[in-house]
Amino acid sequence: MSTELVAALVKDGVAPATARQRVSRSTEIKKLAHLVFPRGARFVYLQSDYASPEFWHELVKRLLQHSASYGGGLAALMARGGVMPVRHFLIACGAPMAQKGHIPAQGVLDRLKSAQLVKCFDATGIGECIELAQTVEATPWELNRLRARLNTEAVLLSAVKDWARNLALVSYNTVALRDTDDGQPRVGTFNWDLTGASYLGPLTQWDKAANKKKPGYLVCDVLLGINVAAHELQPFINKCTSLRALAKVGRCMQIFVADGYTPEAFALARENGVVPATTTSLFGLEVAKALRELTDILKDAYLRTDSFDRVAAIFDKLSHIEGAATNLRGALFEYIVADLVRQRDPHTSIELNEILKDEAGGQAEVDVLVYHANQSVRFIECKGYKPGGTVPDEMVEVWLKERIPVMRRSPQATWQWRECRQVFEYWTSGVLSERARGLIADEAARVRRYDFRVVESDELGRLVAGTNSTALKKTFRQHFQAHPLSEIERVAKRPPRRLAIPPSSQLSTRNPSDFEITTPLLGTPTADDDAPDDVVENSNS
């Protein structure tokens, strides 16, 4: 801080007024713009230190001391590897969405952008993201790491949702998770990763005005991949303490879930009445290990010979978590397609989630990129959309009109792969509509320089059945062919069945002397009755 620098000069014998003038007029040091601290203090640094690890560490430290909003935003971003979706930044920064006397979360983002401390960019398949400024734009490897963390955290949130429901900590149908169609979960003026209304005795209050019980809430944020330090937990602590100050919001149980904590962070959570939960303490060592393995394998851009077997084993461990299969179906389907290609077709390399860019700034994600040196390059679009369901036509149109042109204009396609036959493929566990098939057929008829291929559920099932991989067959059958949604649609498409007409009784063709009935059964017609023999058979049965 400029005040600390002045104090250091005064300690060396410089008069206070002279020290202040030297600091304010110096051209050797830089002053951070747009962020002013109390009493006009400024954050100062050497140009050679700008954007270094020490720069970020000291800036976050000073901001957390004097401005919880801006410091919390940077701390949350750095805790997540320096890149995260904007929608998650608005949750994790610790600022309210709108509250009198407080800087809103969007205002924190705008000010940090103005100070050129962060910048925003659009990540294919993820959405608008924020990253630390003065860094190289996020590489495909970094985006894969981000995507892996987001997918794993989605599974973790589903597990926390099950845990809270099973313990009756929340009302069953009130649990909300981030990134849903209903918007981000909110309690009070803050967004959270998970929320749920609770009617537990310690959390409920009596609302005299409404003459009814007022529920409390369970709120939860998550962060995987690191041992959370005290300054990285501070934005969540700020949210919790600010929420408790809102008189109209019910009592809350506040939980933060991470892989682990430093001793200082754990003590900070306990001091502020927050539950510092870990994946191991909530779900046991096996599930915690499976979540870590899931993150590790999903961030790997290259398919290896054992990749699919590892994925299948992880899914078995996480299969009891409601929603896990739904959250991971897209990633699982990509591994199924990639492993199927690996076993059946010649290739030099197979890459997952490769980002291709053209010179105009457009970008497109290739789910599975199969390269066969000097022969072919295959761009496979994977849609594990809905088992047995119809893929929306809009998805096919975006692929044809927006993604394929970017792939064709990318430097790799125009230089590295120009001698290879290029094939654009659409693989889905569902089916395409007649209109979508027509769109692809029209495009294939229009062009001659590259090929098209479509693989739908029936052909995909035959390809899987033709492999020797037990794990591949089991996983495909369990999560796609035998999935409840698939079964419902399959049953609905069956023609109505007529009950079979039972064959006529043969008793009437037999001689009555062949049967020896010593005692009539209760309710059985006797020889004096006029009932036909087939009625006698039905009565006996």
Side-chain angles (χ1 to χ4, degrees), residues 384-438:
Y385 173 69
K386 186 175 70 172
T390 302
V391 177
D393 294 347
E394 294 78 9
M395 291 186 176
V396 177
E397 288 182 302
V398 169
W399 178 64
L400 288 172
K401 297 179 180 179
E402 298 180 14
R403 295 182 183 173
I404 290 180
V406 172
M407 298 177 199
R408 289 279 298 162
R409 293 193 300 264
S410 67
Q412 295 96 318
T414 57
W415 176 72
Q416 183 178 355
W417 303 322
R418 66 179 182 272
E419 302 297 333
C420 297
R421 186 65 179 175
Q422 297 180 15
V423 185
F424 295 89
E425 307 183 17
Y426 204 98
W427 292 51
T428 176
S429 57
V431 295
L432 302 182
S433 68
E434 290 299 329
R435 179 174 178 271
R437 295 191 189 103

Side-chain angles (χ1 to χ4, degrees), residues 12-314:
D12 284 344
V14 180
T18 304
R20 286 192 293 269
Q21 288 182 351
R22 285 188 181 182
V23 171
S24 63
R25 296 176 181 177
S26 173
T27 58
E28 296 179 3
I29 60 174
K30 300 294 182 181
K31 304 173 185 65
L32 187 66
H34 298 281
L35 292 178
V36 179
F37 292 81
R39 293 181 292 181
R42 303 288 292 272
F43 184 79
V44 296
Y45 57 93
L46 297 176
Q47 183 62 46
S48 58
D49 288 333
Y50 183 65
S52 66
E54 184 181 9
F55 171 89
W56 292 117
H57 180 269
E58 292 298 327
L59 177 58
V60 169
K61 179 180 176 180
R62 297 308 193 275
L63 284 173
L64 286 174
Q65 290 173 352
H66 302 286
S67 176
S69 298
Y70 300 126
L74 282 179
L77 179 59
M78 293 174 64
R80 289 156 179 83
V83 59
M84 65 188 299
V86 167
R87 62 185 185 276
H88 292 177
F89 176 84
L90 301 179
I91 296 175
C93 69
M97 299 308 296
Q99 184 176 336
K100 186 176 181 180
H102 289 73
I103 303 172
Q106 186 63 48
V108 172
L109 175 60
D110 293 340
R111 181 60 66 89
L112 293 177
K113 289 169 61 178
S114 299
Q116 298 183 358
L117 294 174
V118 302
K119 59 183 179 180
C120 293
F121 68 98
D122 186 67
T124 302
I126 299 175
E128 187 180 14
C129 290
I130 177 177
E131 67 177 354
L132 294 175
Q134 305 302 319
T135 58
V136 178
E137 187 172 344
T139 63
W141 181 85
E142 290 174 315
L143 292 179
N144 276 340
R145 184 179 63 178
L146 172 61
R147 189 181 292 105
R149 180 177 64 80
L150 298 181
N151 285 332
T152 308
E153 287 182 353
V155 176
L156 173 60
L157 286 170
S158 295
V160 175
K161 177 180 178 180
D162 287 349
W163 170 81
R165 282 175 165 181
N166 293 338
L167 290 180
L169 294 178
V170 293
S171 182
Y172 196 85
N173 292 321
T174 64
V175 183
L177 303 179
R178 73 185 186 192
D179 299 337
T180 60
D181 295 336
D182 298 330
Q184 305 293 30
R186 180 178 296 189
V187 170
T189 57
F190 296 90
N191 285 353
W192 309 81
D193 289 339
L194 178 149
T195 63
S198 175
Y199 286 88
L200 290 178
L203 298 182
T204 56
Q205 297 172 286
W206 186 257
D207 189 342
K208 294 182 179 180
N211 195 32
K212 65 178 182 179
K213 186 181 292 186
K214 180 180 180 179
Y217 296 93
L218 182 146
V219 295
C220 175
D221 282 357
V222 301
L223 173 57
L224 294 180
I226 63 170
N227 273 348
V228 178
H231 69 276
E232 295 165 334
L233 185 63
Q234 190 63 55
F236 182 76
I237 300 297
N238 295 340
K239 289 172 63 175
C240 295
T241 54
S242 298
L243 182 68
R244 294 171 195 162
L246 300 178
K248 295 184 179 180
V249 179
R251 297 168 181 163
C252 291
M253 177 185 293
Q254 297 155 333
I255 302 175
F256 195 90
V257 184
D259 285 329
Y261 303 86
T262 64
E264 295 78 12
F266 192 84
L268 179 66
R270 296 291 297 273
E271 290 169 5
N272 288 274
V274 169
V275 180
T278 66
T279 52
T280 302
S281 64
L282 286 180
F283 310 113
L285 185 60
E286 183 177 0
V287 172
K289 183 179 178 181
L291 290 173
R292 287 192 292 270
E293 291 175 349
L294 179 63
T295 302
D296 290 340
I297 194 169
L298 290 181
K299 69 184 181 184
D300 193 350
Y302 289 91
L303 185 76
R304 307 183 190 280
T305 55
D306 64 340
S307 293
F308 185 79
D309 291 336
R310 292 172 60 195
V311 169
I314 292 170

Side-chain angles (χ1 to χ4, degrees), residues 257-515:
V257 184
D259 285 329
Y261 303 86
T262 64
E264 295 78 12
F266 192 84
L268 179 66
R270 296 291 297 273
E271 290 169 5
N272 288 274
V274 169
V275 180
T278 66
T279 52
T280 302
S281 64
L282 286 180
F283 310 113
L285 185 60
E286 183 177 0
V287 172
K289 183 179 178 181
L291 290 173
R292 287 192 292 270
E293 291 175 349
L294 179 63
T295 302
D296 290 340
I297 194 169
L298 290 181
K299 69 184 181 184
D300 193 350
Y302 289 91
L303 185 76
R304 307 183 190 280
T305 55
D306 64 340
S307 293
F308 185 79
D309 291 336
R310 292 172 60 195
V311 169
I314 292 170
F315 266 77
D316 285 341
K317 294 178 181 178
L318 301 177
S319 60
H320 66 283
I321 299 175
E322 181 181 350
T326 301
N327 288 319
L328 295 175
R329 185 175 294 122
L332 177 62
F333 187 68
E334 292 172 5
Y335 273 93
I336 287 177
V337 173
D339 199 57
L340 192 58
V341 171
R342 180 187 66 82
Q343 294 187 50
R344 295 179 57 91
D345 302 330
H347 61 274
T348 303
S349 65
I350 300 177
E351 300 177 40
L352 300 170
N353 307 122
E354 178 71 8
I355 304 294
L356 299 182
K357 301 179 181 180
D358 61 14
E359 294 181 354
Q363 58 181 359
E365 180 181 14
V366 185
D367 294 330
V368 180
L369 179 63
V370 185
Y371 174 60
H372 188 199
N374 302 321
Q375 298 293 323
S376 66
V377 57
R378 299 164 61 185
F379 308 85
I380 302 181
E381 180 82 2
C382 299
K383 288 298 177 187
Y385 173 69
K386 186 175 70 172
T390 302
V391 177
D393 294 347
E394 294 78 9
M395 291 186 176
V396 177
E397 288 182 302
V398 169
W399 178 64
L400 288 172
K401 297 179 180 179
E402 298 180 14
R403 295 182 183 173
I404 290 180
V406 172
M407 298 177 199
R408 289 279 298 162
R409 293 193 300 264
S410 67
Q412 295 96 318
T414 57
W415 176 72
Q416 183 178 355
W417 303 322
R418 66 179 182 272
E419 302 297 333
C420 297
R421 186 65 179 175
Q422 297 180 15
V423 185
F424 295 89
E425 307 183 17
Y426 204 98
W427 292 51
T428 176
S429 57
V431 295
L432 302 182
S433 68
E434 290 299 329
R435 179 174 178 271
R437 295 191 189 103
L439 291 173
I440 297 175
D442 292 344
E443 186 69 11
R446 187 183 67 84
V447 299
R448 292 290 184 271
R449 304 179 71 177
Y450 50 93
D451 299 328
F452 285 89
R453 182 188 180 189
V454 175
V455 178
E456 300 180 60
S457 57
D458 290 343
E459 182 181 355
L460 181 62
R462 289 191 293 270
L463 294 176
V464 172
T467 67
N468 295 322
S469 174
T470 302
L472 181 61
K473 294 177 182 178
K474 176 185 175 183
T475 304
F476 182 72
R477 180 173 62 253
Q478 178 180 352
H479 294 283
F480 295 95
Q481 285 185 322
H483 189 274
L485 292 175
S486 179
E487 290 297 319
I488 290 173
E489 293 207 11
R490 189 179 295 116
V491 171
K493 293 178 180 178
R494 291 175 183 167
R497 296 175 58 187
R498 296 182 61 186
L499 293 176
I501 301 175
S504 58
S505 174
Q506 300 298 320
L507 289 178
S508 58
T509 63
R510 300 181 184 179
N511 191 325
S513 61
D514 294 340
F515 300 91

